[in-house]
Amino acid sequence: MTAPTILHATFTAIPGQGDRVAALLAEFAEGVRAEPGNVVFDATRLVDDPDRFFVYEVYRDEEAFQAHLAAPAGVPFNAALQELIVEPHSQLTFLRRI
């Protein structure tokens, strides 16, 4: 059995754009959760700073993660997200279960 691919993504909405980011992310999450190799796609906002977002993702394996990256919904989502966040793109941190 291959190891799952686990990561979290963080990003910050431009002031005044938090609700737009949340709506965009909620719509994207629905599609990602339907991908056959997705195990978890948990999108959240920080309670103390609602312009900060934290997304926890788990994919069955690296192949499933690569399929997620190649999915057609990713390109328009990331293009729209880039226009609404402070960072040039979401900050990804890959994790390994212990």
Side-chain angles (χ1 to χ4, degrees), residues 10-92:
T10 59
F11 44 89
T12 309
I14 294 169
Q17 298 300 317
D19 289 342
R20 285 184 64 198
V21 170
L24 179 70
L25 189 54
E27 182 179 331
F28 183 64
E30 209 172 292
V32 174
R33 290 178 187 131
E35 293 173 7
N38 178 259
V39 177
V40 174
F41 191 91
D42 192 12
T44 59
R45 291 172 98 165
L46 275 65
V47 171
D48 294 336
D49 185 356
D51 284 339
R52 295 274 303 146
F53 292 82
F54 181 93
V55 181
Y56 179 72
E57 304 176 50
V58 181
Y59 298 88
R60 179 187 62 242
D61 52 25
E62 181 63 23
E63 183 180 336
F65 178 62
Q66 292 303 319
H68 163 70
L69 294 179
V75 171
F77 168 77
N78 285 310
L81 183 66
Q82 273 187 297
E83 299 297 318
L84 300 172
I85 63 173
V86 173
E87 302 85 0
H89 49 79
S90 57
Q91 307 299 299
L92 303 180

